[in-house]
Amino acid sequence: MMISRPRRNRYREGIRKLVRENSLTVNDLIAPLFVIEGSNTEIPVASMPGQSRFSIDLLVKEVKELQSLGIPCVSLFPALDDTLKNSMATESYNDDGLFQRAIKEVKNACPDMIIMSDVAMDPYSSDGHDGIVDPKTGEIVNDETLDILAKMSISQAKAGSDIIGPSDMMDGRVGYIRDALDEEGFSKTSIMSYTAKYASAFYGPFRDALDSAPKSGDKLSYQMDFANKREALRETYLDEYEGADILMVKPGLSYLDIISKMRENTMLPIAAYNVSGEYAMVKAAAEKGWIDGEKVMMEMLMSFKRAGSDMILTYFAKEAAKILNH
Ligand code: PBG
């Protein structure tokens, strides 16, 4: 006699629905989008099939479509012309800059869409680093960078951003940005901190999209060592203490253990960033006919929910929403 037969809970679709432990809905999705200068311009990102850099008018069109699919949030990233980049990333807090205009126009066209905006120096930096590079030592300086991040955050909040997303990994930046926002009257603007952001080769295609790869050196002195797990909890406690509203783990796929660990140690919502390299791997293998891209996508997205994240930043957002809605 066999008392326990786990398969009894698997035989029929109805039973499988009843015992399903996790669910994925469009409410969980955040769509990252790239914006460029110009009009009626869409430049595909070669290493991210299906993803493009949009001029503001086409970006607005894209956001409207995402809204009609029920996606609650977009995360915007600017791809700037090299002539606008310098060592202090001054364009990042130009209130009339490309990024600020993009935020304003998306907000105008889709007031209910939650706009998240990235904060880090790299898209505006001639050095391609997230912080200021000391010209003598080549070191990424922490405290001076905070001031630029705060100016950038205020400029984005003024333009209409709902969620500031510091992705730079400087020490103390969440608290510094929180203070600066509050002082300027933006106490309702949220911060989604890139809490556990690892130094990862999975960001390659994203750096192609923004042409933002470091000109020299690497990001190991500020992004986390992928051998470490406890350190993610240290960052978790700091970001909580400094006033973050949502904590993010990045990349996602190889870091499900980090999501799960953080889930057990914080009451704050957790986001997973299903990054560019993870998207590129699935697309490339699917193109070759080696995997079923759609099925792998849905399985991957559910794994972020199962690990304990509440929301997922993913380039699959539109594709997945279409499947989830039908
Ligand atoms: C920049 C930033 C990066 C990503 C988001 N913000 C790249 C990096 O840190 O070099 C990566 C996103 C992705 O790969 O999809 N601060």
Side-chain angles (χ1 to χ4, degrees):
M1 198 179 62
M2 209 185 299
I3 293 171
S4 234
R5 287 181 180 270
R7 287 186 62 198
R8 274 198 288 269
N9 286 346
R10 299 180 198 138
Y11 281 119
R12 307 187 55 210
E13 172 62 12
I15 302 268
R16 288 194 294 273
K17 280 183 182 168
L18 289 170
V19 303
R20 190 157 292 144
E21 297 173 37
N22 290 284
S23 63
L24 175 73
T25 77
V26 288
N27 297 336
D28 305 318
L29 303 174
I30 299 175
L33 295 169
F34 306 120
V35 59
I36 48 168
E37 205 58 83
S39 67
N40 199 23
T41 309
E42 172 177 353
I43 305 175
V45 183
S47 49
M48 301 174 73
Q51 300 299 309
S52 293
R53 286 152 288 206
F54 297 106
S55 55
I56 293 179
D57 50 345
L58 297 189
L59 176 78
V60 166
K61 226 175 115 199
E62 182 71 12
V63 176
K64 282 184 178 159
E65 191 185 339
L66 296 173
Q67 189 169 40
S68 74
L69 288 166
I71 291 171
C73 179
V74 291
S75 178
L76 305 180
F77 297 92
L80 261 70
D81 198 84
D82 270 347
T83 57
L84 291 170
K85 301 183 184 182
N86 59 34
S87 61
M88 297 298 273
T90 50
E91 183 64 12
S92 66
Y93 49 90
N94 172 2
D95 288 345
D96 299 314
L98 165 68
F99 200 44
Q100 286 78 352
R101 281 181 279 121
I103 294 169
K104 266 181 226 161
E105 296 212 18
V106 169
K107 188 90 206 174
N108 262 338
C110 305
D112 293 332
M113 179 60 91
I114 301 300
I115 301 177
M116 171 170 171
S117 55
D118 203 68
V119 165
M121 282 175 62
D122 55 338
Y124 317 88
S125 154
S126 44
D127 301 306
H129 274 287
D130 294 21
I132 300 169
V133 180
D134 183 323
K136 280 192 214 101
T137 61
E139 210 172 281
I140 314 301
V141 290
N142 195 88
D143 297 13
E144 288 80 352
T145 298
L146 298 182
D147 209 44
I148 296 174
L149 300 175
K151 283 185 182 147
M152 198 183 307
S153 302
I154 289 165
S155 184
Q156 294 175 3
K158 259 193 233 164
S161 173
D162 301 288
I163 303 178
I164 300 298
S167 69
D168 54 282
M169 290 305 276
M170 295 301 117
D171 290 335
R173 91 273 206 214
V174 170
Y176 198 93
I177 291 171
R178 184 70 271 160
D179 275 352
L181 287 172
D182 288 356
E183 237 166 69
E184 293 293 318
F186 295 109
S187 61
K188 289 192 288 189
T189 306
S190 302
I191 297 178
M192 183 192 297
S193 175
Y194 286 66
T195 297
K197 177 171 179 180
Y198 287 86
S200 172
F202 284 101
Y203 308 149
F206 174 96
R207 293 177 188 169
D208 291 345
L210 299 192
D211 189 21
S212 64
K215 296 285 181 291
S216 69
D218 50 46
K219 298 193 174 186
L220 291 167
S221 80
Y222 46 107
Q223 298 181 347
M224 286 170 56
D225 181 341
F226 58 68
N228 295 354
K229 174 142 93 175
R230 266 185 287 119
E231 195 181 351
L233 290 184
R234 189 176 186 207
E235 291 284 3
T236 297
Y237 299 142
L238 283 170
D239 281 356
E240 259 188 12
Y241 177 73
E242 291 177 33
D245 301 284
I246 300 171
L247 308 179
M248 188 208 290
V249 176
K250 177 184 180 192
L253 203 53
S254 293
Y255 298 82
L256 295 176
D257 57 327
I258 307 299
I259 297 171
S260 161
K261 187 91 184 160
M262 281 170 55
R263 177 69 291 152
E264 289 164 7
N265 285 279
T266 181
M267 292 301 135
L268 289 177
I270 294 178
Y273 199 143
N274 180 205
V275 298
S276 58
E278 299 166 10
Y279 176 85
M281 288 194 306
V282 175
K283 286 293 175 191
E287 253 172 38
K288 286 197 172 268
W290 291 348
I291 58 169
D292 180 329
E294 266 187 15
K295 284 193 171 150
V296 168
M297 163 180 79
M298 297 310 275
E299 185 175 334
M300 191 187 266
L301 294 175
M302 185 64 89
S303 76
F304 296 122
K305 293 300 304 284
R306 194 185 64 236
S309 55
D310 302 279
M311 63 200 91
I312 309 157
L313 290 96
T314 178
Y315 303 96
F316 287 119
K318 184 155 88 173
E319 236 181 300
K322 285 182 182 163
I323 293 174
L324 291 168
N325 284 334
H326 96 258

